[in-house]
Amino acid sequence: MTISAELLVTKGLLPENIPPVFTAARIWPTFGADGTAYTVTKKVVGEPCIYNASKRGGQRRIFGIPHPTFVKDQGVFFEKHWADIQSILGAAPGSVSQPTVDIVGARHVRITPHKELPGLRLKRLSRFRFCLVTDVSRFYPSVYTHAFPWAINGKAAAKADNQSNSPTVFGNRLDFIVRQAQSKQTIGMPIGPDVSKIAAEILMAAVDKRFIALSGKTPPSYLRHVDDYWIGGNTHEECEKHLQNLRLALKEYELDINETKTRIISTKYVFGETWPSEFEKELRNCLEPSARVTDVDPIATFGKIIDRASRDNDDGIIKHALRVIDGNKLWSRNWDIVEHFLAQCAVQFPHSFDYVARVIAWRIRTNREFDKSLWVEIARSTALQSARLGRDSECVWALWLIKELNQKITTALSDALLSNCGALVLCFLAHFPQHKLATDKKLYDHLCGVIEGDPHAGKCWPLTLELTHLNKADPTWTSVTTPPALRGLHDAKVSIIDWNALPRVFVESPRDDNGGGPDYAIEDYGADYDEGGDDDEGEKLPPPPLPPPPWPSQKS
């Protein structure tokens, strides 16, 4: 199946895990005939919108949302050269992150989900005693854009011909588009867009090819997911040799090993975690309608889940537990206890707030019981605390829950959001006054006041787009000499907010058996960036490295 530039924009532009009010569906028609041609020139320069998101284990991930024109041009590049790109990707036999094209799903490009990796590692590495576990140091932020043509057309050819419109070294075009999208910077590329998943895999497939070549007659048995590696070895020394060869292969593309995440461990440690099956059985026993009252105490079960997540600093345990409850339709029994477990999840484990918000919105829309005053308090306090810390993802989900609860944004909250949050959060905030859900009478003036740089192509482009759509734009923006390729969205007054959008579960499964709406709350939104590491942090830190084997004793 071939790639689609249109779907890379409409399904692959925005971060995958954001409230359903965000949509890129209206963008593509504004390109018109330019949708099949390159429009990025030397004068077409932009800056991505930054979105600060939560990440498993208390970490943060910084997404970048390029202006759609640059994503469109990357899509055109991939369409034109898809056969060549697939050939490049095929040279990496150990990769399990080769992009899969999806026409009907939530995302256009998918990669193997993290939950499938334990089984894949077992199949690939079961015959080895040792495993080298490593990843690339700050992969996305450290990508050297000139390495794209090196990976696609070869280093020598790319150095001999660096013209962006070269008919032979066509990889130069990808390098050029990525640079123009980030103020001409040659270091780094945005995390999040589907086009970045493809570009990342092109680069890492070239690294794999060189790694295999350096390994000589015996190719390595390895598994790679984006930039995370697991490489099998029969001896400690064999794994050290693999590390040496991989380091050399990465350096050829201006990348390096993440030393703090590099381990040589017993292979028995790389086949997955035990807690998912542990807690799933207990949750079923205490929450299934058919379970006996005395089977398992739900408070004790929830306490163990929270204790384990706190002890391991792993809120992925919390999200998994919520998925189990939702997938097995266990919300009804003991709701008076379950609701307060959800409240603790929201308060203590911010990475799970999006799941909690989905559940409460689902209960609101299906007329199920919930404590409104409790959730108004939690939504407002989460929004305010997160805004003060500049945590965009928690803010945007809290704002969405406030909207679902039909509550107003206080001036104190909007001031905090204006001071610390990115343009994706603020472009949603811009719609609250339209629905009489904001108390600050001068909010639009304040929103215009935070704009920095080019209003059409700078890092605030989502906010200026919404203000233009709402006829609240600063009149002086019209005099800014932005190239037409970057002004089209604003000229068309396009919006990326659909205020009345239903949660996706109501679109996927409109009715339950009783005609009362869907019987689950959390959809499959394509969590390529939500479950584990994929950029600078890798997966959960493996066990400490094994010491080198002792030298054999010497006989006198």
Side-chain angles (χ1 to χ4, degrees):
M1 189 177 293
T2 190
I3 202 79
S4 164
E6 178 178 353
L7 294 180
L8 285 170
V9 172
T10 57
K11 291 189 173 188
L13 169 69
L14 300 173
E16 58 196 15
N17 185 21
I18 52 177
V21 293
F22 289 90
T23 175
R26 305 183 186 105
I27 291 175
W28 186 260
T30 65
F31 293 128
D34 291 339
T36 59
Y38 294 126
T39 52
V40 175
T41 64
K42 289 184 178 180
K43 292 185 178 180
V44 177
V45 181
E47 190 175 356
C49 166
I50 300 303
Y51 179 72
N52 183 308
S54 66
K55 180 178 173 180
R56 183 178 173 183
Q59 305 283 335
R60 308 299 299 178
R61 176 179 284 114
I62 306 301
F63 286 98
I65 309 165
H67 187 285
T69 293
F70 300 102
V71 175
K72 184 269 297 181
D73 264 34
Q74 286 188 62
V76 171
F77 174 85
F78 292 136
E79 276 190 354
K80 289 179 181 290
H81 302 290
W82 192 237
D84 296 296
I85 290 166
Q86 288 184 304
S87 177
I88 294 167
L89 302 183
S95 172
V96 290
S97 52
Q98 295 187 10
T100 300
V101 177
D102 187 345
I103 300 298
V104 299
R107 302 294 293 193
H108 185 39
V109 171
R110 298 296 301 269
I111 62 176
T112 302
H114 284 80
K115 64 184 178 182
E116 295 181 15
L117 295 183
L120 293 170
R121 291 195 291 259
L122 177 61
K123 292 177 182 178
R124 187 68 56 88
L125 304 173
S126 61
R127 66 184 184 274
F128 295 102
R129 183 180 177 189
F130 298 106
C131 181
L132 167 64
V133 181
T134 189
D135 68 2
V136 179
S137 179
R138 293 180 50 78
F139 174 48
Y140 279 92
S142 66
V143 163
Y144 184 48
T145 65
H146 291 337
F148 289 128
W150 299 354
I152 294 170
N153 303 108
K155 203 168 189 177
K159 284 183 174 291
D161 178 1
N162 60 8
Q163 297 301 307
S164 63
N165 60 351
S166 172
T168 53
V169 186
F170 59 88
N172 287 341
R173 173 66 68 169
L174 179 59
D175 170 22
F176 175 70
I177 299 167
V178 173
R179 281 188 284 120
Q180 295 298 104
Q182 52 193 31
S183 301
K184 301 184 179 181
Q185 293 183 44
T186 58
I187 301 299
M189 70 174 180
I191 301 171
D194 283 3
V195 290
S196 289
K197 296 177 189 176
I198 301 171
E201 188 63 20
I202 290 172
L203 187 54
M204 293 308 298
V207 171
D208 287 6
K209 183 178 180 180
R210 183 57 181 154
F211 170 51
I212 293 168
L214 289 169
S215 299
K217 294 182 179 179
T218 305
S221 291
Y222 75 100
L223 185 142
R224 176 180 56 76
H225 188 262
V226 189
D227 68 312
D228 291 319
Y229 280 91
W230 297 267
I231 307 170
N234 292 309
T235 66
H236 198 282
E237 290 81 2
E238 186 180 344
C239 288
E240 288 183 331
K241 184 61 177 177
H242 288 321
L243 178 60
Q244 178 185 352
N245 290 334
L246 180 58
R247 195 191 309 274
L248 290 172
L250 287 166
K251 284 187 180 297
E252 291 200 20
Y253 293 91
E254 301 294 326
L255 298 168
D256 202 0
I257 290 289
N258 184 345
E259 301 290 352
T260 63
K261 290 295 184 76
T262 299
R263 301 282 191 270
I264 296 174
I265 60 175
S266 171
T267 311
K268 65 186 177 184
Y269 292 117
V270 303
F271 299 141
E273 298 163 303
T274 60
W275 53 258
S277 57
E278 290 175 22
F279 293 132
E280 182 165 353
K281 183 178 180 180
E282 289 197 40
L283 286 167
R284 283 176 175 273
N285 286 343
C286 68
L287 295 178
E288 278 186 339
S290 59
R292 297 192 305 271
V293 175
T294 57
D295 278 354
V296 179
D297 181 2
I299 295 178
T301 299
F302 292 148
K304 284 199 289 187
I305 292 171
I306 290 174
D307 179 67
R308 180 68 177 272
S310 301
R311 188 176 71 245
D312 293 358
N313 188 30
D314 187 2
D315 38 20
I317 295 172
I318 299 295
K319 298 196 84 165
H320 177 76
L322 298 182
R323 276 280 191 191
V324 169
I325 297 171
D326 191 56
N328 290 282
K329 307 173 186 177
L330 304 178
W331 296 115
S332 297
R333 186 181 182 191
N334 291 314
W335 170 249
D336 58 327
I337 296 172
V338 172
E339 183 171 32
H340 292 284
F341 171 64
L342 281 173
Q344 269 293 282
C345 292
V347 172
Q348 301 288 357
F349 302 97
H351 186 50
S352 71
F353 190 88
D354 63 296
Y355 277 22
V356 175
R358 285 174 167 96
V359 173
I360 301 306
W362 166 72
R363 295 191 73 87
I364 293 170
R365 288 177 175 269
T366 55
N367 298 312
R368 287 173 166 85
E369 175 191 356
F370 76 101
D371 185 340
K372 184 174 182 177
S373 62
L374 172 68
W375 291 106
V376 169
E377 179 182 346
I378 288 176
R380 283 179 169 164
S381 63
T382 298
L384 185 58
Q385 292 169 15
S386 300
R388 288 168 176 167
L389 296 170
R391 294 177 172 174
D392 291 341
S393 59
E394 292 91 329
C395 285
V396 80
W397 279 103
L399 288 180
W400 181 70
L401 183 54
I402 290 170
K403 166 195 170 294
E404 292 292 293
L405 291 162
N406 198 35
Q407 298 297 301
K408 289 187 176 184
I409 302 296
T410 65
T411 301
L413 174 55
S414 59
D415 285 347
L417 294 165
L418 286 160
S419 298
N420 300 300
C421 290
L424 201 66
V425 178
L426 298 182
C427 80
F428 183 26
L429 176 64
H431 284 257
F432 278 77
Q434 298 292 308
H435 299 273
K436 298 181 171 32
L437 294 180
T439 60
D440 184 355
K441 302 300 183 184
K442 296 184 176 180
L443 183 55
Y444 286 122
D445 291 338
H446 297 151
L447 286 166
C448 289
V450 304
I451 306 303
E452 298 178 359
D454 187 325
H456 307 107
K459 65 181 181 180
C460 296
W461 71 262
L463 173 55
T464 61
L465 188 62
E466 293 310 313
L467 292 172
T468 302
H469 168 76
L470 295 168
N471 295 315
K472 301 296 182 180
D474 186 327
T476 63
W477 296 346
T478 59
S479 62
V480 178
T481 57
T482 308
L486 298 174
R487 292 185 65 113
L489 295 179
H490 290 74
D491 291 343
K493 293 189 174 183
V494 169
S495 174
I496 60 170
I497 298 294
D498 179 1
W499 182 269
N500 296 315
L502 295 172
R504 193 168 294 128
V505 293
F506 288 82
V507 178
E508 295 173 351
S509 179
R511 298 278 180 191
D512 65 6
D513 294 339
N514 299 318
D519 52 8
Y520 63 99
I522 305 169
E523 79 281 6
D524 176 14
Y525 52 84
D528 291 343
Y529 293 97
D530 192 49
E531 298 171 83
D534 48 71
D535 51 308
D536 57 321
E537 294 296 337
E539 286 205 331
K540 264 189 84 176
L541 195 66
L546 292 174
W551 293 103
S553 59
Q554 298 293 322
K555 291 184 178 180
S556 56

